[in-house]
Every structure is written in structure tokens, then in C-alpha cells.
Amino acid sequence: MERIIADALDSNLLPEIFNHAYHGIAIVGLDGKWLLVSKSLCDILGYTESELLKLSFQEITHKEDLEIDLWKFKSLLKQKIESYKMQKRYFKKSGALVWAQLSVSLVKNDTNKPKYLIAQVQDITEQKDEEHEKEVIATVIKEQNERLLNFSRIITHNLRTHAGNLMALTDFVEDEIKETKENESFLAL
């Protein structure tokens, strides 16, 4: 195994893996600044490498996601956790939002002190859009079902009311017919 790793380092395989990975990869400093970013991360976020290296993850994280991300980040630095995953939103250079599945791991030095972090970023915007669309459809279906249920209740009530009226009229007519048959003046006709 060590020989494979040594060969990989000698043949510059690791930079090749880093730069050709499908998902974004970054080395992040203990202050949250990007130290090294892959081409795929630049593509996901819409920044050039030099632009992204001037920023920190905090600057491009959606404010609603920043608090939980920072809490996990600090827990990682305090070595309370070894790694974390979360879904979060980044602002692209264009200002558009991109949803990402973020996985972060801490790398330590020989004295077990935090050295830097490895972040992996997967664009899940399409999945989140599909989830949102399904939620909207489910809400519409739920509302339509409630309307149909209310409509069926109204129809049932109206049918019962009309049926009751018809039964009362039928009873009235039957009573009148009995009176008519029993009354002699109607029999002569």
C-alpha cells in the first residue's frame, strides 16, 4: 500500500486526481479561506481559481446556512468531531444560489494539532429543485383533495336534504290519498 502511495506521489497522480475529480475539492485553512481549489469547485461556484482563493467559505455561504456551518467548523477545529456533512447554499459569482452537499474532514499535523481541512462539494441544486417541485405538487394535491372532500360533503348534505323533502312530500301525498279514498264525497266522482 505504501508503495502505491509513493508511486502516486512520484508520478503527480494526486494533483491529477484533485484537478479531474467530478465533485469539487478544496483545501481550506483554519481561518476558512480557500488554500487550494479544484477546477470542478471553480466550475460549481462560477469563480476562477484566483478569485476563489481571495475569498473564504463564509463570504459565499448563504446567511441562513452559515451559523450551522460555522458551529460544525469550530467543533471540527476543537476536535470535538472528526468530520461533518451538511447541505448548504453557496452564492455563485453570478449571485445565483447553488445547493451543495458539503463533506469536511480535518487534517492534523504530527503533534495532533489541526493543520487544514479537506472539503468536498457536490452540486445538488437539481435534486433540491426537484424536491421543491414535489413539495409544491404535494401541497396542491392536498388542497385539491380537501376541496373535493368539502364538495362531497356539500353534495351529500344537499342530497340528504332533497331526499328528506321528497320523503316528506311522499308521506303527505300518501296521507292525502288515504283521506281521499276514505272520504265519500270523492268516491262519488
Side-chain angles (χ1 to χ4, degrees):
M1 178 69 161
E2 291 176 20
R3 178 74 181 136
I4 293 171
I5 293 172
D7 288 345
L9 290 172
D10 286 342
S11 65
N12 288 328
L13 183 61
L14 292 179
E16 289 293 317
I17 293 170
F18 189 82
N19 286 316
H20 290 90
Y22 180 74
H23 300 299
I25 302 173
I27 305 297
V28 180
L30 302 179
D31 59 355
K33 290 216 178 252
W34 307 99
L35 302 176
L36 185 63
V37 293
S38 68
K39 180 184 178 325
S40 56
L41 182 63
C42 293
D43 292 343
I44 290 169
L45 299 176
Y47 291 91
T48 64
E49 181 180 357
S50 61
E51 291 170 329
L52 203 51
L53 292 176
K54 293 176 186 172
L55 300 171
S56 67
F57 76 85
Q58 297 95 322
E59 293 175 275
I60 61 171
T61 297
H62 191 281
K63 68 178 184 173
E64 291 176 11
D65 302 328
L66 186 57
E67 186 177 334
I68 187 76
D69 196 5
L70 285 174
W71 181 81
K72 290 181 176 195
F73 182 81
K74 289 173 184 174
S75 295
L76 199 60
L77 294 178
K78 292 176 185 175
Q79 300 185 46
K80 292 181 179 179
I81 58 174
E82 290 292 317
S83 63
Y84 71 89
K85 287 183 183 182
M86 68 177 287
Q87 292 182 353
K88 65 180 274 188
R89 292 163 287 182
Y90 288 105
F91 286 105
K92 296 176 84 162
K93 182 180 177 182
S94 67
L97 283 174
V98 60
W99 273 99
Q101 174 68 44
L102 172 67
S103 302
V104 182
S105 300
L106 179 65
V107 176
K108 302 173 193 172
N109 64 18
D110 294 337
T111 61
N112 210 30
K113 300 281 188 221
K115 190 173 177 181
Y116 54 82
L117 299 104
I118 298 174
Q120 298 174 52
V121 178
Q122 178 183 358
D123 184 348
I124 59 168
T125 305
E126 192 174 309
Q127 292 168 282
K128 293 301 264 185
D129 289 345
E130 289 172 3
E131 285 176 19
H132 177 70
E133 190 175 315
K134 287 177 185 176
E135 289 172 5
V136 168
I137 291 170
T139 301
V140 169
I141 290 170
K142 184 178 178 182
E143 289 172 0
Q144 291 295 337
N145 283 343
E146 191 63 39
R147 287 183 186 150
L148 284 171
L149 183 60
N150 289 337
F151 179 73
S152 69
R153 288 178 183 148
I154 291 168
I155 294 298
T156 302
H157 172 73
N158 289 345
L159 288 174
R160 284 186 189 145
T161 302
H162 293 305
N165 291 342
L166 286 173
M167 290 179 80
L169 284 172
T170 304
D171 289 344
F172 177 74
V173 170
E174 286 177 356
D175 288 344
E176 288 298 315
I177 290 175
K178 286 180 190 175
E179 284 181 22
T180 307
K181 288 182 181 177
E182 294 171 0
N183 190 329
E184 289 181 22
S185 50
F186 285 105
L187 289 175
L189 297 174

